[in-house]
């Protein structure tokens, strides 16, 4: 078993001064914590893996392919491998749990 505490992950991410912290890598999946400040631009490019985003806190819009929706705490979004996607119009600091399958390269 591996157990992670969101507060600890956020502190580590902030200490490394990056938007993304990878904290789990297994044979079939990996996970990380992604954060964007209100008004910040999301520089993501399509990934080679399927991914799931679970919004831990904040508010934004997300566009996946041609579809756009609002996301906030508790939102879960599936993004298929290769699909263009990005968060935008971040109105409250955004923290997102990210799961990749297979693991992020």
């Amino acid at each position: 078993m591996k157990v992670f505490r969101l507060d600890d992950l956020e502190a580590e991410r902030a200490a490394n001064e990056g938007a993304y912290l990878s904290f789990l890598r297994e044979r079939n999946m990996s996970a990380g914590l992604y954060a964007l400040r209100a008004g910040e631009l999301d520089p993501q490019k399509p990934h080679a893996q399927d991914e799931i985003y679970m919004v831990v806190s904040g508010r934004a819009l997300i566009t996946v392919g041609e579809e756009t929706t609002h996301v906030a705490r508790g939102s879960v979004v599936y993004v298929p491998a290769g699909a263009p996607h990005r968060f935008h119009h971040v109105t409250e600091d955004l923290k997102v749990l990210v799961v990749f399958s297979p693991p992020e390269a």
Side-chain angles (χ1 to χ4, degrees), residues 6 10 33-39 54-62 69-77 87-97:
L6 188 57
E10 175 52 24
L33 181 65
Y34 188 53
L36 294 169
R37 291 183 300 272
M54 181 178 166
V55 178
V56 174
S57 63
R59 293 183 181 280
L61 295 176
I62 187 170
T69 191
H70 289 272
V71 292
R73 183 179 183 271
S75 298
V76 178
V77 179
F87 292 97
H88 52 99
H89 295 90
V90 180
T91 57
E92 292 178 17
D93 290 358
L94 191 65
K95 289 187 180 71
V96 182
L97 178 67

Side-chain angles (χ1 to χ4, degrees), residues 19-37:
Y20 185 71
L21 170 71
S22 179
F23 64 87
L24 178 70
R25 183 173 181 80
E26 296 294 331
R27 187 172 49 96
N28 293 315
M29 62 175 283
S30 62
L33 181 65
Y34 188 53
L36 294 169
R37 291 183 300 272

Side-chain angles (χ1 to χ4, degrees), residues 48-66:
Q49 305 82 5
D50 288 340
E51 54 188 317
I52 292 176
Y53 291 117
M54 181 178 166
V55 178
V56 174
S57 63
R59 293 183 181 280
L61 295 176
I62 187 170
T63 298
V64 178
E66 300 296 318

Side-chain angles (χ1 to χ4, degrees), residues 8-18 21:
D8 295 340
L9 294 173
E10 175 52 24
E12 184 179 348
R13 187 203 60 78
N16 291 324
E17 299 180 5
L21 170 71

